[in-house]
Amino acid sequence: QVQLVESGGGLVQAGGSLRLSCAASGSIFSINVMNWHRQAPGKQRELVATIASGGNTNYADSVAGRFTISRDNTKNVVYLQMNSLKPEDTAVYYCALDVKYYSNDFLRRGTYWGQGTQVTVSS
């Protein structure tokens, strides 16, 4: 009922920038919280940034001041602008959305994850 498509990952040198996008489609009624997570090799997945439906944001200490999360509610898209990238930012990045959607005429709620996009920062 809901599909997420991520884009924007890639290889960048330290100090560079990337912008990730996560677009949701389907029988969506509304999206509450939108999150970006990341998982580096051999490490647990960690929450990087959060944006609520009203626009309030929160960031992990490791990215605060360098990353900016934003959303376009008209397009059901969440972005992650990543500046001043460091090699330790290398990871697979996943979006996760708290979605209310229609299924068989019922309004349901669930958390949906993107497929992940690789971000590699070289030193």
Side-chain angles (χ1 to χ4, degrees), residues 19-90:
R19 188 192 195 205
L20 306 183
S21 299
C22 172
S25 62
S27 303
I28 296 171
F29 173 76
S30 66
I31 302 176
N32 186 14
V33 176
M34 294 176 157
N35 297 322
W36 284 98
H37 298 250
R38 68 185 181 186
Q39 187 166 19
K43 294 187 178 181
Q44 289 188 332
R45 190 171 296 188
E46 64 171 337
L47 178 62
V48 173
T50 296
I51 185 166
S53 57
N56 289 336
T57 59
N58 279 291
Y59 299 91
D61 289 342
S62 58
V63 307
R66 299 187 297 119
F67 290 10
T68 301
I69 188 171
S70 60
R71 61 190 289 167
D72 184 337
N73 292 328
T74 65
K75 298 179 180 179
N76 292 327
V77 178
V78 60
Y79 304 97
L80 186 67
Q81 177 66 44
M82 304 184 294
N83 299 329
S84 302
L85 283 161
K86 304 175 181 180
E88 50 264 44
D89 294 318
T90 295

Short mmCIF file of all heavy atoms in Angstrom, two decimals, residues 19-90:
data_model
loop_
_atom_site.label_atom_id
_atom_site.label_comp_id
_atom_site.label_asym_id
_atom_site.label_seq_id
_atom_site.Cartn_x
_atom_site.Cartn_y
_atom_site.Cartn_z
N ARG A 19 22.96 15.04 -0.99
CA ARG A 19 21.57 15.23 -0.59
C ARG A 19 20.81 13.95 -0.88
O ARG A 19 20.73 13.51 -2.03
CB ARG A 19 20.93 16.39 -1.34
CG ARG A 19 19.54 16.77 -0.82
CD ARG A 19 18.86 17.70 -1.78
NE ARG A 19 17.70 18.38 -1.20
CZ ARG A 19 16.69 18.86 -1.91
NH1 ARG A 19 16.69 18.73 -3.22
NH2 ARG A 19 15.69 19.48 -1.30
N LEU A 20 20.24 13.37 0.16
CA LEU A 20 19.43 12.17 0.02
C LEU A 20 17.95 12.55 -0.06
O LEU A 20 17.52 13.52 0.57
CB LEU A 20 19.64 11.23 1.21
CG LEU A 20 21.09 10.84 1.53
CD1 LEU A 20 21.10 9.85 2.68
CD2 LEU A 20 21.78 10.27 0.31
N SER A 21 17.22 11.75 -0.82
CA SER A 21 15.77 11.94 -0.92
C SER A 21 15.07 10.62 -0.66
O SER A 21 15.61 9.55 -0.97
CB SER A 21 15.38 12.44 -2.32
OG SER A 21 15.98 13.67 -2.61
N CYS A 22 13.88 10.70 -0.13
CA CYS A 22 13.05 9.52 0.11
C CYS A 22 11.61 9.91 -0.22
O CYS A 22 11.03 10.75 0.46
CB CYS A 22 13.18 9.07 1.55
SG CYS A 22 12.03 7.75 2.05
N ALA A 23 11.09 9.31 -1.28
CA ALA A 23 9.75 9.65 -1.75
C ALA A 23 8.78 8.51 -1.45
O ALA A 23 9.06 7.35 -1.78
CB ALA A 23 9.78 9.93 -3.24
N ALA A 24 7.67 8.86 -0.86
CA ALA A 24 6.64 7.88 -0.53
C ALA A 24 5.48 8.00 -1.51
O ALA A 24 5.11 9.10 -1.91
CB ALA A 24 6.14 8.09 0.89
N SER A 25 4.92 6.85 -1.87
CA SER A 25 3.76 6.83 -2.76
C SER A 25 2.81 5.72 -2.33
O SER A 25 3.19 4.82 -1.58
CB SER A 25 4.19 6.63 -4.21
OG SER A 25 4.84 5.39 -4.36
N GLY A 26 1.58 5.82 -2.82
CA GLY A 26 0.57 4.83 -2.47
C GLY A 26 -0.67 5.50 -1.91
O GLY A 26 -0.88 6.70 -2.09
N SER A 27 -1.45 4.73 -1.19
CA SER A 27 -2.72 5.24 -0.65
C SER A 27 -2.48 5.93 0.68
O SER A 27 -3.00 5.56 1.72
CB SER A 27 -3.70 4.08 -0.49
OG SER A 27 -3.91 3.40 -1.70
N ILE A 28 -1.72 7.01 0.63
CA ILE A 28 -1.29 7.71 1.84
C ILE A 28 -2.33 8.73 2.28
O ILE A 28 -2.78 9.54 1.47
CB ILE A 28 0.07 8.38 1.59
CG1 ILE A 28 1.14 7.31 1.33
CG2 ILE A 28 0.47 9.25 2.80
CD1 ILE A 28 2.46 7.87 0.86
N PHE A 29 -2.65 8.68 3.56
CA PHE A 29 -3.51 9.69 4.15
C PHE A 29 -2.67 10.82 4.75
O PHE A 29 -2.91 11.99 4.50
CB PHE A 29 -4.41 9.08 5.22
CG PHE A 29 -5.23 10.07 5.99
CD1 PHE A 29 -6.34 10.65 5.41
CD2 PHE A 29 -4.88 10.45 7.29
CE1 PHE A 29 -7.11 11.58 6.11
CE2 PHE A 29 -5.64 11.37 7.99
CZ PHE A 29 -6.75 11.94 7.40
N SER A 30 -1.67 10.45 5.53
CA SER A 30 -0.78 11.43 6.13
C SER A 30 0.50 10.74 6.58
O SER A 30 0.54 9.53 6.75
CB SER A 30 -1.43 12.15 7.31
OG SER A 30 -1.65 11.25 8.37
N ILE A 31 1.54 11.54 6.75
CA ILE A 31 2.81 11.04 7.27
C ILE A 31 3.17 11.86 8.49
O ILE A 31 3.24 13.09 8.40
CB ILE A 31 3.92 11.11 6.22
CG1 ILE A 31 3.54 10.32 4.97
CG2 ILE A 31 5.22 10.55 6.81
CD1 ILE A 31 4.54 10.41 3.84
N ASN A 32 3.39 11.20 9.60
CA ASN A 32 3.73 11.90 10.83
C ASN A 32 5.24 12.11 10.88
O ASN A 32 5.79 12.98 10.23
CB ASN A 32 3.20 11.14 12.04
CG ASN A 32 3.41 11.90 13.34
OD1 ASN A 32 3.70 13.09 13.32
ND2 ASN A 32 3.28 11.21 14.45
N VAL A 33 5.91 11.27 11.61
CA VAL A 33 7.35 11.43 11.77
C VAL A 33 8.09 10.82 10.59
O VAL A 33 7.73 9.75 10.09
CB VAL A 33 7.83 10.77 13.08
CG1 VAL A 33 9.34 10.84 13.20
CG2 VAL A 33 7.15 11.43 14.27
N MET A 34 9.12 11.54 10.14
CA MET A 34 10.02 11.03 9.11
C MET A 34 11.42 10.98 9.70
O MET A 34 11.87 11.95 10.30
CB MET A 34 10.01 11.96 7.89
CG MET A 34 8.70 12.00 7.15
SD MET A 34 8.79 13.22 5.80
CE MET A 34 7.50 12.64 4.70
N ASN A 35 12.09 9.85 9.54
CA ASN A 35 13.42 9.67 10.12
C ASN A 35 14.41 9.25 9.05
O ASN A 35 14.06 8.60 8.07
CB ASN A 35 13.39 8.54 11.17
CG ASN A 35 12.50 8.86 12.34
OD1 ASN A 35 12.43 9.99 12.79
ND2 ASN A 35 11.80 7.85 12.83
N TRP A 36 15.67 9.58 9.32
CA TRP A 36 16.79 9.00 8.59
C TRP A 36 17.64 8.21 9.59
O TRP A 36 17.97 8.73 10.66
CB TRP A 36 17.64 10.05 7.91
CG TRP A 36 17.04 10.62 6.67
CD1 TRP A 36 16.36 11.80 6.55
CD2 TRP A 36 17.07 10.04 5.36
NE1 TRP A 36 15.96 11.97 5.26
CE2 TRP A 36 16.38 10.92 4.50
CE3 TRP A 36 17.60 8.86 4.83
CZ2 TRP A 36 16.21 10.66 3.15
CZ3 TRP A 36 17.44 8.61 3.48
CH2 TRP A 36 16.74 9.50 2.65
N HIS A 37 17.95 6.99 9.23
CA HIS A 37 18.83 6.13 10.01
C HIS A 37 20.04 5.80 9.15
O HIS A 37 20.01 5.97 7.92
CB HIS A 37 18.13 4.82 10.38
CG HIS A 37 16.93 4.97 11.24
ND1 HIS A 37 16.89 4.59 12.56
CD2 HIS A 37 15.70 5.47 10.96
CE1 HIS A 37 15.69 4.83 13.06
NE2 HIS A 37 14.95 5.37 12.10
N ARG A 38 21.09 5.28 9.77
CA ARG A 38 22.23 4.78 9.01
C ARG A 38 22.83 3.57 9.71
O ARG A 38 22.70 3.42 10.93
CB ARG A 38 23.29 5.85 8.81
CG ARG A 38 24.03 6.29 10.07
CD ARG A 38 24.96 7.45 9.76
NE ARG A 38 25.70 7.87 10.94
CZ ARG A 38 26.49 8.94 10.96
NH1 ARG A 38 26.65 9.69 9.86
NH2 ARG A 38 27.13 9.26 12.07
N GLN A 39 23.47 2.75 8.90
CA GLN A 39 24.14 1.57 9.45
C GLN A 39 25.47 1.39 8.74
O GLN A 39 25.51 1.17 7.53
CB GLN A 39 23.28 0.32 9.29
CG GLN A 39 23.86 -0.89 9.99
CD GLN A 39 22.85 -2.02 10.12
OE1 GLN A 39 21.85 -2.07 9.41
NE2 GLN A 39 23.11 -2.93 11.05
N ALA A 40 26.53 1.49 9.53
CA ALA A 40 27.88 1.27 9.02
C ALA A 40 28.23 -0.20 9.18
O ALA A 40 27.65 -0.89 10.03
CB ALA A 40 28.86 2.16 9.78
N PRO A 41 29.18 -0.69 8.40
CA PRO A 41 29.57 -2.10 8.49
C PRO A 41 29.99 -2.47 9.90
O PRO A 41 30.80 -1.77 10.52
CB PRO A 41 30.73 -2.20 7.52
CG PRO A 41 30.51 -1.11 6.53
CD PRO A 41 29.89 0.01 7.31
N GLY A 42 29.42 -3.54 10.42
CA GLY A 42 29.78 -4.02 11.74
C GLY A 42 29.20 -3.24 12.89
O GLY A 42 29.52 -3.50 14.05
N LYS A 43 28.33 -2.28 12.59
CA LYS A 43 27.75 -1.45 13.64
C LYS A 43 26.23 -1.55 13.61
O LYS A 43 25.63 -1.95 12.62
CB LYS A 43 28.17 0.00 13.47
CG LYS A 43 29.67 0.24 13.67
CD LYS A 43 29.99 1.72 13.66
CE LYS A 43 31.47 1.95 13.91
NZ LYS A 43 31.80 3.41 13.92
N GLN A 44 25.62 -1.18 14.73
CA GLN A 44 24.17 -1.17 14.81
C GLN A 44 23.61 0.02 14.04
O GLN A 44 24.27 1.05 13.88
CB GLN A 44 23.73 -1.09 16.27
CG GLN A 44 23.98 -2.37 17.06
CD GLN A 44 23.35 -2.31 18.44
OE1 GLN A 44 23.19 -1.24 19.01
NE2 GLN A 44 22.97 -3.46 18.96
N ARG A 45 22.38 -0.15 13.58
CA ARG A 45 21.71 0.96 12.91
C ARG A 45 21.45 2.07 13.93
O ARG A 45 21.06 1.79 15.07
CB ARG A 45 20.39 0.48 12.31
CG ARG A 45 19.72 1.47 11.40
CD ARG A 45 18.52 0.85 10.67
NE ARG A 45 18.93 -0.23 9.79
CZ ARG A 45 18.11 -0.83 8.92
NH1 ARG A 45 16.84 -0.45 8.84
NH2 ARG A 45 18.55 -1.80 8.15
N GLU A 46 21.69 3.30 13.52
CA GLU A 46 21.50 4.42 14.43
C GLU A 46 20.59 5.47 13.80
O GLU A 46 20.59 5.66 12.58
CB GLU A 46 22.84 5.07 14.81
CG GLU A 46 23.60 5.70 13.66
CD GLU A 46 24.80 6.50 14.10
OE1 GLU A 46 24.83 6.95 15.27
OE2 GLU A 46 25.72 6.69 13.28
N LEU A 47 19.85 6.15 14.66
CA LEU A 47 18.98 7.24 14.22
C LEU A 47 19.83 8.49 13.99
O LEU A 47 20.56 8.91 14.89
CB LEU A 47 17.90 7.50 15.26
CG LEU A 47 16.94 8.65 14.98
CD1 LEU A 47 16.14 8.40 13.72
CD2 LEU A 47 16.00 8.83 16.18
N VAL A 48 19.70 9.07 12.82
CA VAL A 48 20.50 10.22 12.45
C VAL A 48 19.73 11.52 12.61
O VAL A 48 20.23 12.49 13.18
CB VAL A 48 20.99 10.08 10.99
CG1 VAL A 48 21.68 11.35 10.53
CG2 VAL A 48 21.90 8.88 10.84
N ALA A 49 18.50 11.55 12.10
CA ALA A 49 17.72 12.79 12.12
C ALA A 49 16.24 12.46 12.08
O ALA A 49 15.84 11.45 11.48
CB ALA A 49 18.09 13.69 10.95
N THR A 50 15.45 13.34 12.69
CA THR A 50 14.00 13.18 12.77
C THR A 50 13.33 14.50 12.45
O THR A 50 13.81 15.56 12.88
CB THR A 50 13.58 12.74 14.18
OG1 THR A 50 14.14 11.46 14.45
CG2 THR A 50 12.08 12.68 14.32
N ILE A 51 12.22 14.43 11.73
CA ILE A 51 11.40 15.62 11.50
C ILE A 51 9.94 15.25 11.71
O ILE A 51 9.45 14.27 11.14
CB ILE A 51 11.64 16.24 10.11
CG1 ILE A 51 10.87 17.55 9.97
CG2 ILE A 51 11.33 15.28 8.99
CD1 ILE A 51 11.31 18.39 8.77
N ALA A 52 9.28 16.01 12.55
CA ALA A 52 7.87 15.77 12.83
C ALA A 52 7.00 16.44 11.76
O ALA A 52 7.49 17.22 10.94
CB ALA A 52 7.52 16.31 14.21
N SER A 53 5.71 16.15 11.81
CA SER A 53 4.81 16.69 10.80
C SER A 53 4.76 18.21 10.83
O SER A 53 4.58 18.86 9.80
CB SER A 53 3.40 16.12 10.98
OG SER A 53 2.93 16.39 12.29
N GLY A 54 4.97 18.78 12.02
CA GLY A 54 4.95 20.24 12.15
C GLY A 54 6.27 20.90 11.81
O GLY A 54 6.36 22.13 11.82
N GLY A 55 7.30 20.09 11.57
CA GLY A 55 8.58 20.64 11.17
C GLY A 55 9.66 20.62 12.25
O GLY A 55 10.80 20.96 11.96
N ASN A 56 9.32 20.22 13.47
CA ASN A 56 10.35 20.12 14.51
C ASN A 56 11.36 19.05 14.14
O ASN A 56 10.99 17.97 13.67
CB ASN A 56 9.73 19.79 15.85
CG ASN A 56 8.93 20.97 16.41
OD1 ASN A 56 9.18 22.11 16.07
ND2 ASN A 56 7.97 20.67 17.27
N THR A 57 12.63 19.33 14.38
CA THR A 57 13.70 18.42 14.00
C THR A 57 14.58 18.07 15.19
O THR A 57 14.68 18.82 16.16
CB THR A 57 14.59 19.04 12.91
OG1 THR A 57 15.14 20.27 13.41
CG2 THR A 57 13.80 19.32 11.65
N ASN A 58 15.20 16.91 15.09
CA ASN A 58 16.19 16.47 16.06
C ASN A 58 17.30 15.74 15.32
O ASN A 58 17.05 15.08 14.30
CB ASN A 58 15.58 15.53 17.10
CG ASN A 58 14.86 16.30 18.20
OD1 ASN A 58 15.48 16.98 19.01
ND2 ASN A 58 13.55 16.21 18.20
N TYR A 59 18.51 15.84 15.88
CA TYR A 59 19.68 15.25 15.23
C TYR A 59 20.53 14.50 16.23
O TYR A 59 20.62 14.87 17.41
CB TYR A 59 20.54 16.34 14.58
CG TYR A 59 19.83 17.13 13.50
CD1 TYR A 59 19.15 18.30 13.80
CD2 TYR A 59 19.84 16.69 12.17
CE1 TYR A 59 18.49 19.02 12.81
CE2 TYR A 59 19.19 17.40 11.18
CZ TYR A 59 18.52 18.56 11.51
OH TYR A 59 17.86 19.25 10.53
N ALA A 60 21.21 13.48 15.74
CA ALA A 60 22.22 12.82 16.54
C ALA A 60 23.37 13.81 16.74
O ALA A 60 23.66 14.64 15.87
CB ALA A 60 22.72 11.57 15.82
N ASP A 61 24.03 13.69 17.89
CA ASP A 61 25.12 14.62 18.19
C ASP A 61 26.21 14.56 17.11
O ASP A 61 26.84 15.57 16.81
CB ASP A 61 25.73 14.27 19.55
CG ASP A 61 24.81 14.61 20.71
OD1 ASP A 61 23.86 15.41 20.50
OD2 ASP A 61 25.04 14.10 21.81
N SER A 62 26.40 13.39 16.54
CA SER A 62 27.48 13.20 15.58
C SER A 62 27.26 13.95 14.27
O SER A 62 28.21 14.16 13.51
CB SER A 62 27.66 11.71 15.28
OG SER A 62 26.46 11.16 14.79
N VAL A 63 26.02 14.36 13.99
CA VAL A 63 25.73 15.04 12.72
C VAL A 63 25.17 16.44 12.91
O VAL A 63 25.03 17.18 11.93
CB VAL A 63 24.76 14.22 11.84
CG1 VAL A 63 25.27 12.79 11.66
CG2 VAL A 63 23.35 14.22 12.42
N ALA A 64 24.85 16.81 14.12
CA ALA A 64 24.26 18.13 14.37
C ALA A 64 25.19 19.23 13.87
O ALA A 64 26.40 19.18 14.09
CB ALA A 64 23.99 18.29 15.86
N GLY A 65 24.60 20.17 13.17
CA GLY A 65 25.38 21.27 12.60
C GLY A 65 25.92 20.99 11.21
O GLY A 65 26.38 21.91 10.52
N ARG A 66 25.87 19.72 10.79
CA ARG A 66 26.37 19.36 9.45
C ARG A 66 25.24 18.85 8.56
O ARG A 66 25.27 19.05 7.34
CB ARG A 66 27.45 18.29 9.56
CG ARG A 66 28.66 18.71 10.36
CD ARG A 66 29.77 17.67 10.28
NE ARG A 66 29.38 16.39 10.87
CZ ARG A 66 29.34 15.24 10.19
NH1 ARG A 66 29.67 15.20 8.90
NH2 ARG A 66 28.98 14.12 10.79
N PHE A 67 24.28 18.15 9.15
CA PHE A 67 23.17 17.57 8.39
C PHE A 67 21.90 18.37 8.64
O PHE A 67 21.70 18.90 9.75
CB PHE A 67 22.91 16.12 8.81
CG PHE A 67 23.98 15.15 8.41
CD1 PHE A 67 25.20 15.54 7.89
CD2 PHE A 67 23.74 13.77 8.54
CE1 PHE A 67 26.17 14.64 7.53
CE2 PHE A 67 24.69 12.84 8.18
CZ PHE A 67 25.92 13.28 7.68
N THR A 68 21.05 18.44 7.63
CA THR A 68 19.76 19.10 7.76
C THR A 68 18.67 18.22 7.16
O THR A 68 18.77 17.83 5.99
CB THR A 68 19.75 20.46 7.03
OG1 THR A 68 20.78 21.30 7.57
CG2 THR A 68 18.40 21.15 7.22
N ILE A 69 17.67 17.91 7.97
CA ILE A 69 16.53 17.14 7.50
C ILE A 69 15.40 18.11 7.17
O ILE A 69 15.19 19.11 7.87
CB ILE A 69 16.08 16.09 8.54
CG1 ILE A 69 15.03 15.16 7.96
CG2 ILE A 69 15.60 16.75 9.83
CD1 ILE A 69 14.70 13.96 8.86
N SER A 70 14.70 17.83 6.08
CA SER A 70 13.57 18.67 5.69
C SER A 70 12.53 17.78 5.00
O SER A 70 12.83 16.63 4.66
CB SER A 70 14.01 19.80 4.76
OG SER A 70 14.59 19.28 3.57
N ARG A 71 11.34 18.32 4.80
CA ARG A 71 10.28 17.54 4.19
C ARG A 71 9.42 18.42 3.31
O ARG A 71 9.28 19.62 3.57
CB ARG A 71 9.43 16.85 5.27
CG ARG A 71 8.72 17.80 6.22
CD ARG A 71 8.11 17.03 7.41
NE ARG A 71 6.97 16.23 7.01
CZ ARG A 71 6.43 15.29 7.80
NH1 ARG A 71 6.96 15.04 9.00
NH2 ARG A 71 5.38 14.61 7.39
N ASP A 72 8.82 17.78 2.32
CA ASP A 72 7.84 18.43 1.45
C ASP A 72 6.56 17.62 1.59
O ASP A 72 6.44 16.54 1.00
CB ASP A 72 8.34 18.46 0.01
CG ASP A 72 7.39 19.21 -0.92
OD1 ASP A 72 6.20 19.33 -0.59
OD2 ASP A 72 7.85 19.66 -1.99
N ASN A 73 5.63 18.14 2.36
CA ASN A 73 4.40 17.39 2.63
C ASN A 73 3.50 17.30 1.41
O ASN A 73 2.66 16.40 1.33
CB ASN A 73 3.64 18.04 3.79
CG ASN A 73 4.39 17.89 5.10
OD1 ASN A 73 5.09 16.91 5.33
ND2 ASN A 73 4.25 18.89 5.97
N THR A 74 3.66 18.19 0.46
CA THR A 74 2.83 18.13 -0.75
C THR A 74 3.26 16.99 -1.66
O THR A 74 2.48 16.50 -2.48
CB THR A 74 2.89 19.44 -1.53
OG1 THR A 74 4.21 19.65 -2.02
CG2 THR A 74 2.49 20.62 -0.64
N LYS A 75 4.53 16.58 -1.52
CA LYS A 75 5.06 15.51 -2.37
C LYS A 75 5.37 14.25 -1.59
O LYS A 75 5.81 13.26 -2.17
CB LYS A 75 6.34 16.00 -3.06
CG LYS A 75 6.14 17.18 -3.98
CD LYS A 75 7.46 17.61 -4.61
CE LYS A 75 7.27 18.80 -5.54
NZ LYS A 75 8.57 19.23 -6.13
N ASN A 76 5.16 14.26 -0.28
CA ASN A 76 5.49 13.12 0.59
C ASN A 76 6.96 12.72 0.43
O ASN A 76 7.29 11.54 0.23
CB ASN A 76 4.58 11.92 0.29
CG ASN A 76 3.15 12.18 0.70
OD1 ASN A 76 2.89 12.88 1.68
ND2 ASN A 76 2.20 11.62 -0.03
N VAL A 77 7.82 13.70 0.53
CA VAL A 77 9.25 13.48 0.38
C VAL A 77 9.99 14.03 1.60
O VAL A 77 9.64 15.09 2.12
CB VAL A 77 9.80 14.17 -0.89
CG1 VAL A 77 11.30 13.96 -1.00
CG2 VAL A 77 9.10 13.63 -2.13
N VAL A 78 10.99 13.29 2.02
CA VAL A 78 11.89 13.76 3.07
C VAL A 78 13.30 13.80 2.50
O VAL A 78 13.68 12.94 1.70
CB VAL A 78 11.83 12.86 4.33
CG1 VAL A 78 12.22 11.42 4.02
CG2 VAL A 78 12.66 13.43 5.46
N TYR A 79 14.04 14.83 2.90
CA TYR A 79 15.39 15.03 2.41
C TYR A 79 16.39 15.00 3.57
O TYR A 79 16.04 15.30 4.71
CB TYR A 79 15.51 16.39 1.70
CG TYR A 79 14.54 16.61 0.57
CD1 TYR A 79 13.35 17.31 0.78
CD2 TYR A 79 14.80 16.11 -0.69
CE1 TYR A 79 12.45 17.51 -0.26
CE2 TYR A 79 13.91 16.31 -1.73
CZ TYR A 79 12.74 17.01 -1.51
OH TYR A 79 11.86 17.20 -2.54
N LEU A 80 17.62 14.68 3.23
CA LEU A 80 18.71 14.81 4.19
C LEU A 80 19.87 15.47 3.47
O LEU A 80 20.50 14.85 2.62
CB LEU A 80 19.14 13.46 4.77
CG LEU A 80 20.17 13.54 5.89
CD1 LEU A 80 19.55 14.19 7.12
CD2 LEU A 80 20.71 12.15 6.24
N GLN A 81 20.11 16.74 3.79
CA GLN A 81 21.24 17.46 3.23
C GLN A 81 22.43 17.21 4.15
O GLN A 81 22.37 17.52 5.34
CB GLN A 81 20.93 18.95 3.16
CG GLN A 81 22.09 19.79 2.65
CD GLN A 81 22.44 19.51 1.20
OE1 GLN A 81 21.56 19.39 0.36
NE2 GLN A 81 23.73 19.40 0.91
N MET A 82 23.50 16.65 3.58
CA MET A 82 24.67 16.29 4.36
C MET A 82 25.85 17.13 3.88
O MET A 82 26.27 16.99 2.73
CB MET A 82 24.96 14.80 4.21
CG MET A 82 23.78 13.92 4.58
SD MET A 82 24.16 12.15 4.49
CE MET A 82 24.43 11.96 2.75
N ASN A 83 26.36 17.96 4.75
CA ASN A 83 27.51 18.81 4.44
C ASN A 83 28.69 18.43 5.31
O ASN A 83 28.53 17.75 6.33
CB ASN A 83 27.15 20.27 4.66
CG ASN A 83 26.02 20.76 3.78
OD1 ASN A 83 25.85 20.29 2.64
ND2 ASN A 83 25.24 21.71 4.26
N SER A 84 29.86 18.90 4.91
CA SER A 84 31.09 18.64 5.68
C SER A 84 31.21 17.16 6.03
O SER A 84 31.48 16.79 7.18
CB SER A 84 31.11 19.50 6.95
OG SER A 84 31.02 20.86 6.63
N LEU A 85 31.01 16.32 5.05
CA LEU A 85 31.01 14.88 5.29
C LEU A 85 32.37 14.39 5.74
O LEU A 85 33.41 14.90 5.32
CB LEU A 85 30.56 14.15 4.03
CG LEU A 85 29.05 14.19 3.79
CD1 LEU A 85 28.71 13.87 2.34
CD2 LEU A 85 28.34 13.22 4.73
N LYS A 86 32.33 13.38 6.61
CA LYS A 86 33.52 12.78 7.17
C LYS A 86 33.54 11.29 6.81
O LYS A 86 32.49 10.69 6.59
CB LYS A 86 33.51 12.92 8.69
CG LYS A 86 33.39 14.35 9.19
CD LYS A 86 33.27 14.37 10.72
CE LYS A 86 33.12 15.79 11.24
NZ LYS A 86 32.99 15.80 12.73
N PRO A 87 34.72 10.68 6.80
CA PRO A 87 34.78 9.24 6.51
C PRO A 87 33.90 8.43 7.46
O PRO A 87 33.34 7.40 7.04
CB PRO A 87 36.26 8.92 6.70
CG PRO A 87 36.96 10.19 6.34
CD PRO A 87 36.07 11.28 6.86
N GLU A 88 33.75 8.87 8.68
CA GLU A 88 32.91 8.13 9.64
C GLU A 88 31.42 8.24 9.34
O GLU A 88 30.60 7.58 9.98
CB GLU A 88 33.19 8.57 11.08
CG GLU A 88 33.15 10.07 11.30
CD GLU A 88 34.54 10.70 11.25
OE1 GLU A 88 35.33 10.34 10.34
OE2 GLU A 88 34.81 11.56 12.11
N ASP A 89 31.04 9.06 8.37
CA ASP A 89 29.65 9.11 7.93
C ASP A 89 29.34 8.01 6.92
O ASP A 89 28.18 7.83 6.51
CB ASP A 89 29.34 10.47 7.28
CG ASP A 89 29.42 11.62 8.26
OD1 ASP A 89 28.94 11.46 9.40
OD2 ASP A 89 29.97 12.68 7.89
N THR A 90 30.35 7.27 6.50
CA THR A 90 30.14 6.19 5.55
C THR A 90 29.21 5.14 6.13
O THR A 90 29.44 4.62 7.23
CB THR A 90 31.48 5.54 5.17
OG1 THR A 90 32.29 6.49 4.48
CG2 THR A 90 31.27 4.31 4.29
#
